[in-house]
Amino acid sequence: MAVPVQPGWNLIGNPYGGAVDLADIDVQVGTGIPVPWLNAVAENIVVDGIYSYLGEDWGGTNEFASAASAVPGTIDPLDRLLGLCQSLR
């Protein structure tokens, strides 16, 4: 599944029944060849991080996760997360 994004902050979601690890996401710029998430991070295409609001039930706090952290970031089913796309070259 492809999700088009623009430079800047993007709200993306997971339509699948299971969690998707950030490291399992490929990033494609235009008609270029898709590259793994961490390669896109190294090439300064995306920022290795996702932000989510946990809601009032969890104290109204925010959460940050990344593919390179000790507990790798995931996008859970039906979650919507905010991520930063640095550039689309």
Side-chain angles (χ1 to χ4, degrees), residues 7-87:
W9 291 100
N10 289 268
L11 187 64
I12 59 171
N14 174 6
Y16 299 112
V20 175
D21 290 343
L22 279 179
D24 291 337
I25 295 173
D26 287 341
V27 176
Q28 181 178 5
V29 177
T31 58
I33 297 172
V35 297
W37 178 267
L38 288 174
N39 289 40
V41 170
E43 294 174 23
N44 206 31
I45 298 169
V46 296
V47 172
D48 186 22
I50 52 176
Y51 301 87
S52 57
Y53 175 67
L54 299 180
E56 295 302 321
D57 292 346
W58 297 94
T61 59
N62 296 305
E63 178 179 73
F64 173 83
S66 74
S69 61
V71 177
T74 62
I75 304 175
D76 293 325
L78 304 177
D79 271 358
R80 291 168 308 279
L81 301 163
L82 191 60
L84 179 61
C85 179
Q86 292 285 77
S87 71

